[in-house]
Amino acid sequence: VARGSGLEEGRDGASATAHEAEDGPARGRVWLWLLLPACGTVLLMATTNKITQDVSVVPFLWVVPLGLYLSTFILTFDSPRWYFRRWYTAALLSCWVAVWWVLDKGVEAPISVQLVIYSATLFVTCMICHGELYRLRPAPRRLTAYYLTISAGGAVGGVFVALGAPLIFDSYSEFHWGLWASGVLLVAVCFRDRSVWAVGRWWGPSWVSLSLAVGLLAWGLWIHALRADEGAGPSTRNFYGVLTLFDYDAEDPENHYRLLRHGRITHGLQFTNPDYARLPTTYFGETSGVGLAIRLTRTEAKRVGVVGLGGGTLATHGR
């Protein structure tokens, strides 16, 4: 069984040996035991934050990324037949293109499309992280250290997103870093298996293409970050998400306005011009549902109670 598994892995361009020398694992291999699960956990938590706080606040939506993450562990550690490096590498490159597109589109992209792209990217990335982790499993007598290191890696990733990222970033940049780290780790495991990939025509084009793709991903994410910060002023991040104040048309006093965003969702807009400062804006303008309801029932005085977000803007309808 071990020999058959090794041959199958060899055909896929990865290490043909399931277990390495009995005198102990190489230091680089131990680091991969730690970093691969850490990267998977970072992507799990970053994707969950992204889709539940930045895309759509839907109850129990967090179950979807968690289920995908756990399913990759089940599949990759069940049997080598579920993970083929070439196939998932191609899928990962496609996911990177899709993620860059959806990040660039922002709220203009349909919510369903965003959820599918983010979920697919999480699944493919975790399949690679956990599939390569399974390939790096040691001899049976070293499995205790192997599983302890995997657990430590998951903890490191979780601590980084929960405690470190809010202190380091003022946005959900851990998602970008997690994507980039997954590509770097894939390049690392391919480099580690170069003795196998060097046989035949796969080593050259695969190695060059993958390294180039990781570089292009870093460039694309950097460009997106610059565009996202365009016009941004003070920004803060807390347990509930990221709040950013944007300043637009500051050179035009008549049309100058400030906008408050929670992630990519607008939560307030006000003109600085005193003549326009009391205009109802964003989702509660004169032609909105609530605007029409108030305007078309102004035949007599009435008392209106407002509860929740939008209270400040809706107060401008008062007379």
Side-chain angles (χ1 to χ4, degrees):
V1 174
R3 180 177 298 175
S5 174
L7 290 174
E8 189 65 30
E9 292 174 353
R11 284 196 296 268
D12 193 37
S15 177
T17 58
H19 313 298
E20 297 200 353
E22 289 292 321
D23 58 350
R27 182 177 301 178
R29 190 160 172 244
V30 175
W31 277 108
L32 289 173
W33 292 354
L34 181 75
L35 294 177
L36 286 169
C39 183
T41 304
V42 167
L43 259 298
L44 164 66
M45 299 181 66
T47 302
T48 302
N49 288 338
K50 190 74 175 175
I51 67 176
T52 58
Q53 297 192 43
D54 208 18
V55 175
S56 177
V57 182
V58 177
F60 296 107
L61 185 58
W62 58 269
V63 175
V64 175
L66 178 61
L68 293 173
Y69 170 83
L70 295 176
S71 67
T72 62
F73 256 123
I74 295 171
L75 291 173
T76 54
F77 279 78
D78 171 66
S79 171
R81 69 177 182 272
W82 298 113
Y83 174 69
F84 297 93
R85 180 185 290 170
R86 292 178 191 170
W87 296 359
Y88 278 97
T89 297
L92 183 65
L93 297 178
S94 301
C95 287
W96 286 350
V97 174
V99 165
W100 189 90
W101 176 83
V102 79
L103 286 174
D104 187 61
K105 283 291 184 180
V107 294
E108 296 179 5
I111 292 178
S112 57
V113 174
Q114 295 185 59
L115 295 178
V116 169
I117 290 176
Y118 288 129
S119 298
T121 302
L122 173 66
F123 178 79
V124 171
T125 304
C126 288
M127 279 294 293
I128 290 176
C129 290
H130 299 153
E132 296 297 340
L133 192 61
Y134 177 77
R135 291 182 183 277
L136 294 169
R137 65 196 185 280
R141 70 187 185 90
R142 300 194 179 277
L143 287 178
T144 300
Y146 173 67
Y147 287 118
L148 282 174
T149 307
I150 291 176
S151 300
V156 168
V159 169
F160 171 73
V161 175
L163 301 179
L167 298 176
I168 301 173
F169 308 122
D170 58 5
S171 64
Y172 292 121
S173 298
E174 64 269 22
F175 178 77
H176 300 63
W177 282 97
L179 282 180
W180 180 77
S182 66
V184 172
L185 289 174
L186 182 57
V187 171
V189 293
C190 291
F191 179 79
R192 185 176 181 276
D193 296 334
R194 63 190 182 280
S195 58
V196 176
W197 279 39
V199 179
R201 62 187 178 86
W202 286 104
W203 167 251
S206 297
W207 175 257
V208 174
S209 300
L210 186 57
S211 300
L212 180 61
V214 172
L216 288 175
L217 174 67
W219 175 80
L221 294 176
W222 180 67
I223 292 297
H224 169 264
L226 291 179
R227 290 179 179 176
D229 291 339
E230 186 176 354
S235 180
T236 183
R237 174 175 174 173
N238 56 28
F239 176 79
Y240 300 101
V242 177
L243 293 173
T244 307
L245 184 66
F246 290 83
D247 221 5
Y248 292 106
D249 295 329
E251 68 284 352
D252 184 0
E254 186 172 357
N255 297 314
H256 179 210
Y257 68 92
R258 295 190 176 99
L259 183 145
L260 177 68
R261 282 184 185 171
H262 174 227
R264 291 182 299 170
I265 307 301
T266 296
H267 275 298
L269 185 156
Q270 186 177 32
F271 288 92
T272 59
N273 187 335
D275 296 334
Y276 304 143
R278 291 180 58 84
L279 289 178
T281 57
T282 61
Y283 315 104
F284 311 110
E286 296 285 356
T287 58
S288 66
V290 67
L292 292 174
I294 293 176
R295 180 161 56 87
L296 296 177
T297 58
R298 281 180 179 167
T299 55
E300 60 185 48
K302 54 185 172 295
R303 296 171 64 87
V304 178
V306 178
V307 179
L309 296 173
T313 303
L314 286 172
T316 62
H317 287 280
R319 298 290 184 270

